[in-house]
Amino acid sequence: MDTLLGFDYGPRKIGVAVGQTITGSASPLTTIRSHGERPDWSRIEDLIREWRPKAAVVGLPFNMDDSEAELAPRARRFARQLHGRFGLEVHLVDERLTSLEARRQLGRTSASAKAIEAIDAMAAKLILETWLCEQH
């Protein structure tokens, strides 16, 4: 059984999920706040140390017309940094509509900080499950 971490990258916060290849499922884990639009690498390192993932999956934002969204280059950079800092194999997956679906699954329409953090972690779960489904 291989463990994976999924990331819903954003410049201010990053949703994180954990999943397993054997079950093809994932669970929301946490949302990490960035500092000055820089990822909190020490928190990410703590999660990597705790979960010992074989690989990471990072959501790549796309527009509905199949073009990459404005945030895509920053998500790619985050993925490269994950690989460079931790030696993880990193996969990118289309994250289109994951935040909307996360909000729907959680039944959340409020914009409270706690609700938004739950949505980010749930979006990371959906990103990771998308990649796991594509592998089978």
Side-chain angles (χ1 to χ4, degrees), residues 6-53:
F7 294 90
D8 179 27
Y9 172 80
R12 290 187 303 269
K13 54 196 173 0
I14 301 166
V16 186
V18 62
Q20 297 78 32
T21 55
I22 196 156
T23 62
S25 64
S27 300
L29 198 56
T30 190
T31 297
I32 297 172
R33 292 241 168 239
S34 296
H35 304 291
E37 295 195 5
R38 291 198 155 151
D40 184 344
W41 291 112
S42 64
R43 282 281 321 275
I44 293 170
E45 182 176 9
D46 290 344
L47 290 172
I48 289 171
R49 199 175 295 130
E50 178 182 352
W51 292 98
R52 302 185 185 278

Side-chain angles (χ1 to χ4, degrees), residues 63-84:
N63 297 312
M64 295 310 293
D65 67 0
D66 292 334
S67 63
E68 285 191 4
E70 184 178 324
L71 192 57
R74 292 175 78 177
R76 285 183 186 281
R77 181 171 186 251
F78 174 73
R80 285 191 309 272
Q81 289 175 319
L82 272 177
H83 172 73

